Amino acid sequence: MSSFLNEDVIENRNLINGEWVDSKDKIEIINPINEEVITSVPAATVEDVEKAALAARNASFNWGRLTPKDRADFLIELSNRVLGDIDNLSKLETINSGHPISVVGGEIKSAADRLKFFAGAGRTLEGRSAGEYAPGYTSIIRREPIGVAGLITPWNYPLLTAVTKMSPALAAGNTIVLKPSEQTPLTTLRLAKLANEIFPAGVINVLTGFGDVAGKQLAKSRNIDIISLTGGTNTGKQVAQIASETLKKVHLELGGKAPSIILDDANPEIVAESLKWASFWNAGQDCSAATRIIVTKANYDNILQSLKSSISKLKVGDPSIKSTEMGPLTHSKHFKNVENFVNNSEKSGAKIELGGKKIGSKGFLFQPTIITNVDQKSEIVQNEVFGPVITIQKAEDNFHAIELANDVKYGLGSSVFTNDVGIAMEASRRLKFGTVWINDHGAVTAEMPWGGFKESGYGKERSIYSIEEYTNIKHVMIKLP
C-alpha cells in the first residue's frame, strides 16, 4: 500500500460534535484486489449514534438560522477542499472500493460539482405567493429545514453518494449524521476531515458501523427527523418499518434492474460501445447499470456479436494500474453472491456466452459476463445481480420489448436505442422507470432528478427536488386588523 497511498491520509475514527472519537470494537477494511487489511475503523454503538444525533440536534438551530448564502459559502469551500485533495481521495477510493484509478478522479470532480450545485440551489427555494384566501387573513408559506438528517450510504460509490445526500440536506438547513457502509468508509472519513476544518461543530457527524446496530439506531432515534438510505430494497423495507415507529420522514433510493431496449434500426456498433460502459462501469455495481438487454428479433444476432466483441476487450485487473478499465467487486460476500447468480443461471439452462468465472486466486475480480437463453421469470432476470453480468433476451416487436422491460419489481433506470423519434417518445411514456435514456444509458447531471418507481424506492436524489425532500412546508395565517 505504501507505494500507492500514504497511510497518513487515512482517517479511522468517528467524527462526533467536531471531535474525533475511537471505539473498542473495530471493523477491518479490506483491499478488494488482494484481500489485505488496509486499516480498521470503529464499530459505532447505539450510544455513539445517540451522541452524534444529539450533537446534530444541538447544532441545528444555529445552522438552520443561517441565510442560504451563508450555508452556500460553507458548501463551496468544501467543494474547493475536495478538489484540492483529489489525489488522496482518488487513491483511497481505489484501494478501498476497487474503482479504477483511471476513472475515479471523475467521480471526485462530480462530487465537488454537486456541492457547488446545491450551494446555489439552496438559495433558490420557492413557494406559493402570499395571498388572501379567507376574508380578513393573509397566508404565507414557509419552507423550513426538517431538523436532523440521518444519512446511510452504500459501498458502491462511497464518496459520491455521501456528497449527493449531505449536500441538499445541509443546503436546506439540516444538520446530519452520516453512516457510510462498513465495507467502504475511508473516503467518507476523509471527507469528514476536510469538512471538520470548515463547518461548525455538530453540523456534520460521521459514524462508521454495522447496519444492524448503527443503521438501525439512526432509523429508530427520536433525535433523527428524516432518514435517507441508498441501498438494497430489502434494507430499505427494514429501515422504513423501523422509522415508522417514530413516523419520521423516509427517503429511499434502492435497487434497480435496468433494461436497455434495442430496436431493429439501432446501430450494433454504437449500442455495443455504449453498453460496454453502461453495463460494466464499476464492475456493474451500479443500481442504474444496463443489466437486461432486450433486442427485437431482427437485430438480435448482430447485437449479440457486437456486444461479445466489445465487452471481451475490456481491460480487467488491478484498479491502481492506469490502463485498467474494470476493477474487482468490492467485497467477498458480494463476490460470492454474484458468482452464485451466474452458476445458478447456468444450472437452470441459461447459456454463458462470455465470461462467468473468477479471475485469479486472490481478490474479487470477476470476468465480464454475457448470458443468453434466459427465462423472463428466472432469478437472473428478475433479481438485482449488481455485478459485471448482463442477460440478453429476444423480443418479438417493440411492444413486447417494453412489456418485458416493465415486468420486474424495480423501476429505477431504463433506456431505448432507436432512430425513430416517435417510437422513442412512445417508449419513454410506457416504460415504468424514474429515468429513461434514449440512444444512451447512464448519463447523469446534478440538475436533473434521480429516483425510482415501485420497489426502487421513493424520493429524489440530485436536482432542486432533492432539496425539497429535506424541507417541511408550514402555513402561516395572519389575521388582519
Side-chain angles (χ1 to χ4, degrees):
M1 181 175 67
S2 59
S3 62
F4 179 69
L5 176 69
N6 293 325
E7 293 187 29
D8 60 2
V9 308
I10 296 176
E11 180 55 64
N12 58 0
R13 294 170 296 170
N14 286 332
L15 179 63
I16 301 177
N17 201 29
E19 301 292 333
W20 293 102
V21 181
D22 213 335
S23 70
K24 181 179 71 173
D25 295 327
K26 299 285 189 177
I27 303 169
E28 289 188 337
I29 306 303
I30 306 298
N31 185 333
I33 194 62
N34 55 26
E35 302 182 57
E36 294 178 358
V37 176
I38 303 169
T39 187
S40 61
V41 298
T45 63
V46 168
E47 291 75 20
D48 292 330
V49 173
E50 286 305 315
K51 286 178 183 177
L54 182 59
R57 173 72 71 212
N58 291 337
S60 64
F61 181 84
N62 288 337
W63 180 253
R65 285 295 181 99
L66 291 179
T67 66
K69 176 192 179 300
D70 288 339
R71 291 196 295 265
D73 289 341
F74 283 98
L75 291 170
I76 290 169
E77 178 59 24
L78 182 56
S79 175
N80 293 334
R81 298 285 182 99
V82 167
L83 289 175
D85 201 50
I86 191 169
D87 185 58
N88 291 326
L89 288 166
S90 296
K91 289 179 178 179
L92 277 172
E93 201 78 303
T94 292
I95 202 168
N96 189 185
S97 306
H99 295 200
I101 194 66
S102 60
V103 301
V104 74
E107 296 172 18
I108 311 301
K109 291 177 182 177
S110 181
D113 177 67
R114 290 181 191 185
L115 283 161
K116 288 182 178 177
F117 168 77
F118 283 110
R123 301 175 66 175
T124 63
L125 289 173
E126 298 176 346
R128 289 180 180 270
S129 299
E132 289 68 50
Y133 302 97
Y137 292 89
T138 291
S139 289
I140 63 173
I141 296 295
R142 292 181 56 86
R143 185 181 289 277
E144 299 179 341
I146 294 176
V148 179
L151 311 176
I152 302 175
T153 56
W155 45 259
N156 59 326
Y157 290 103
L159 180 72
L160 188 57
T161 312
V163 166
T164 301
K165 286 195 180 299
M166 66 188 286
S167 300
L170 293 168
N174 302 277
T175 54
I176 68 169
V177 181
L178 169 60
K179 192 200 87 65
S181 166
E182 62 267 27
Q183 282 95 9
T184 57
L186 297 186
T187 48
T188 304
L189 288 170
R190 180 73 182 177
L191 178 67
K193 186 172 185 177
L194 299 175
N196 197 41
E197 298 170 356
I198 306 167
F199 285 78
V203 173
I204 295 176
N205 305 272
V206 176
L207 299 172
T208 58
F210 294 106
D212 58 0
V213 178
K216 181 178 180 180
Q217 189 60 29
L218 277 175
K220 187 176 182 180
S221 175
R222 290 189 177 275
N223 274 320
I224 301 293
D225 303 303
I226 174 174
I227 190 81
S228 178
L229 166 81
T230 295
T233 294
N234 289 336
T235 303
K237 291 177 181 178
Q238 293 169 14
V239 165
Q241 184 175 15
I242 296 168
S244 70
E245 296 173 11
T246 53
L247 288 179
K248 60 171 56 71
K249 188 173 181 180
V250 179
H251 175 268
L252 301 174
E253 199 276 300
L254 306 176
K257 192 68 180 175
S260 186
I261 296 173
I262 318 299
L263 301 185
D264 286 347
D265 64 341
N267 183 292
E269 286 73 29
I270 292 174
V271 169
E273 186 61 23
S274 178
L275 295 185
K276 174 182 176 180
W277 303 113
S279 303
F280 296 94
W281 187 270
N282 193 24
Q285 298 168 121
D286 190 317
C287 53
S288 65
T291 61
R292 297 183 294 135
I293 316 306
I294 302 169
V295 190
T296 46
K297 57 186 179 180
N299 212 4
Y300 180 86
D301 291 336
N302 291 333
I303 293 294
L304 174 59
Q305 293 309 312
S306 293
L307 283 171
K308 288 172 69 173
S309 175
S310 180
I311 293 164
S312 65
K313 296 172 185 174
L314 273 169
K315 297 175 182 177
V316 183
D318 186 337
S320 67
I321 297 172
K322 290 185 178 180
S323 60
T324 296
E325 295 174 322
M326 193 188 96
L329 296 169
T330 299
H331 60 92
S332 60
K333 183 179 178 180
H334 181 57
F335 176 89
K336 292 173 184 175
N337 190 47
V338 171
E339 195 172 44
N340 287 337
F341 264 110
V342 174
N343 291 339
N344 290 343
S345 71
E346 191 170 27
K347 290 175 184 176
S348 299
K351 181 181 179 182
I352 309 298
E353 298 278 356
L354 184 73
K357 302 294 182 184
K358 177 181 173 68
I359 300 174
S361 58
K362 278 281 187 182
F364 312 128
L365 286 170
F366 197 85
Q367 294 175 333
T369 301
I370 299 175
I371 302 177
T372 59
N373 195 37
V374 292
D375 184 80
Q376 176 66 18
K377 298 301 181 183
S378 64
E379 175 189 65
I380 196 75
V381 170
Q382 290 293 320
N383 296 334
E384 188 174 36
V385 179
F386 218 62
V389 178
I390 62 173
T391 59
I392 305 181
Q393 297 172 267
K394 186 184 295 184
E396 291 300 313
D397 54 33
N398 300 347
F399 296 112
H400 183 223
I402 294 171
E403 180 184 336
L404 292 174
N406 284 333
D407 183 29
V408 291
K409 64 183 179 181
Y410 301 103
L412 192 55
S414 61
S415 62
V416 57
F417 286 78
T418 179
N419 293 319
D420 189 318
V421 67
I423 292 174
M425 293 307 297
E426 178 64 17
S428 74
R429 287 189 287 268
R430 289 176 179 253
L431 287 166
K432 304 302 181 185
F433 297 84
T435 294
V436 180
W437 290 283
I438 296 174
N439 291 328
D440 197 8
H441 189 113
V444 297
T445 176
E447 291 84 355
M448 289 292 107
W450 176 253
F453 302 164
K454 299 187 285 188
E455 292 193 26
S456 289
Y458 41 77
K460 298 299 180 186
E461 303 271 31
R462 302 194 292 264
S463 80
I464 195 71
Y465 300 105
S466 182
I467 298 185
E468 292 178 356
E469 298 283 348
Y470 293 96
T471 64
N472 279 329
I473 299 297
K474 179 186 288 182
H475 171 215
V476 179
M477 198 168 190
I478 307 160
K479 184 174 176 62
L480 303 175

